[in-house]
Amino acid sequence: MTATLPPPPALEAIGLRKRYGREPALDGFDLTIAAGTVHGLLGPNGAGKTTAVRCLTTLTSFDDGTAAIAGVDVRRDPVGVRERIGLVGQFHAVDDALSARQNLMLFARLSGLSKRRAAERTGHLLEAFGLADAADRPTSGFSGGMRRRLDIAAGLVLTPAILFLDEPTTGLDPRGRATVWQAVREVAAAGTTVLLTTQILDEADQLADRVSVMAHGRVIAEGTPAELKARLGGDRVEAVVADASRLADAADAIARVTDAAASVDADTRTVTAVVADGAKALAPIVRALDAAGVDVDDLALRRPTLDEVFLHLTAHAARTDEEVAR
């Protein structure tokens, strides 16, 4: 009986390098994305996110390394790659003078669909992205969120194996961002793999199954959002003591029941301890503080955020590069 081979990754990049003059934009970039997932690519300005997307979508050639989309080699078969991808860049691609329907029809016809098939696909996308009621209005009057939803719909005209979203919510207000997030969730639920580059950490936390953090042209960490947060050492319990003179007593009580060193901030009257499972630690902490006669104004459990992980990882990468330069 012949064993069934597993499907290839939706995306695989190994050792990509790209230089502009003497400056490396990509410096050994590695990335593998499983089919049917949302993968977040995070990094500060200049980390190489957009260059990576441009190389993977055949818009820019890379100097070294290999890359494949759904098993199709990016360098050897760029046409085959383009048939399998959708791309939504940082800037709007739709024509303001055209309606939403006309824009999608234009993209569909340019993609080779017949007039009948283009009309069918356009109608489906307008319904799927909540734009049917505004289908025949000029897009110049659309809100930022509506325009971004139309951009994403245009990237899905050919039902790509993988959709590249390069900072899709930059410049949107919270309401517009939320509508785009919902659109991305629906795209992923329909089976399309999504590569999302973003500087909005909450965006990756909300949408991504896995996250890669970039710095200096390469990936420096990867995992689920929960795995990356766990790198900071667990949850934080914060107690705001009513009487500042009892800070030391509160710290001793919390340290005894958590087996963790408790730090004190006299300015905010706060005692903080890092614990493995904050939810289970709260009740013993309350009992210990009560037994010690320490009144608190507030007791809170705070989990690490991707913002903290991002700052920690990129700061560490910067320090390492400085040490190598010396």
Side-chain angles (χ1 to χ4, degrees):
M1 183 176 179
T2 304
T4 303
L5 294 176
L11 183 153
E12 186 173 38
I14 302 173
L16 293 193
R17 298 184 186 277
K18 176 66 179 179
R19 301 184 73 88
Y20 292 105
R22 294 184 178 181
E23 292 297 319
L26 296 178
D27 191 18
F29 174 78
D30 298 319
L31 183 64
T32 300
I33 301 177
T37 63
V38 178
H39 197 103
L41 188 60
L42 310 183
N45 287 330
K49 302 186 303 296
T50 296
T51 299
V53 168
R54 290 184 62 83
C55 288
L56 293 167
T57 56
T58 77
L59 294 177
T60 298
S61 62
F62 46 90
D63 302 326
D64 196 14
T66 61
I69 302 295
V72 179
D73 190 280
V74 172
R75 196 193 296 271
R76 295 177 183 173
D77 189 4
V79 174
V81 167
R82 291 175 200 137
E83 291 173 348
R84 290 164 171 80
I85 65 173
L87 172 62
V88 177
Q90 295 181 25
F91 305 103
H92 295 297
V94 298
D95 189 327
D96 284 346
L98 302 179
S99 68
R101 189 186 308 279
Q102 290 169 329
N103 267 290
L104 291 180
M105 281 292 293
L106 177 62
F107 277 99
R109 295 290 279 152
L110 289 173
S111 298
L113 297 185
S114 68
K115 188 173 182 179
R116 181 180 65 81
R117 181 66 184 124
E120 291 174 352
R121 187 65 180 154
T122 292
H124 171 76
L125 290 169
L126 288 169
E127 286 288 346
F129 283 87
L131 296 169
D133 290 344
D136 298 307
R137 286 166 36 195
T139 58
S140 58
F142 280 17
S143 67
M146 291 173 68
R147 288 164 64 89
R148 274 324 241 171
R149 277 185 283 156
L150 182 59
D151 275 329
I152 295 172
L156 293 169
V157 160
L158 291 182
T159 316
I162 180 168
L163 177 65
F164 291 83
L165 296 177
D166 192 10
E167 302 191 14
T169 61
T170 297
L172 296 185
D173 61 23
R175 185 182 299 275
R177 190 175 301 134
T179 62
V180 172
W181 287 0
Q182 184 57 34
V184 173
R185 290 188 186 100
E186 291 170 2
V187 167
T192 295
T193 304
V194 177
L195 174 60
L196 169 74
T197 73
T198 183
Q199 294 186 70
I200 302 171
L201 285 303
D202 188 42
E203 186 161 85
D205 207 358
Q206 291 277 342
L207 299 175
D209 300 298
R210 293 185 68 80
V211 171
S212 295
V213 181
M214 283 190 75
H216 311 297
R218 60 187 181 273
V219 172
I220 59 172
E222 183 177 320
T224 66
E227 288 169 348
L228 292 177
K229 292 173 190 178
R231 292 190 177 202
L232 291 185
D235 301 332
R236 288 167 173 76
V237 174
E238 296 181 349
V240 179
V241 179
D243 182 354
S245 68
R246 303 299 307 278
L247 276 169
D249 296 329
D252 288 342
I254 291 173
R256 281 198 305 272
V257 296
T258 61
D259 292 325
S263 60
V264 172
D265 185 334
D267 293 334
T268 60
R269 296 180 283 109
T270 301
V271 178
T272 303
V274 177
V275 294
D277 190 339
K280 290 183 178 179
L282 281 177
I285 288 173
V286 169
R287 289 194 293 269
L289 291 171
D290 187 53
V294 177
D295 294 326
V296 295
D297 289 339
D298 190 28
L299 180 64
L301 172 64
R302 191 168 69 84
R303 300 189 183 280
T305 65
L306 273 186
D307 297 69
E308 292 169 322
V309 174
F310 177 81
L311 292 171
H312 172 75
L313 290 172
T314 53
H316 176 73
R319 288 195 301 271
T320 301
D321 282 354
E322 289 173 1
E323 290 166 2
V324 170
R326 294 195 194 105

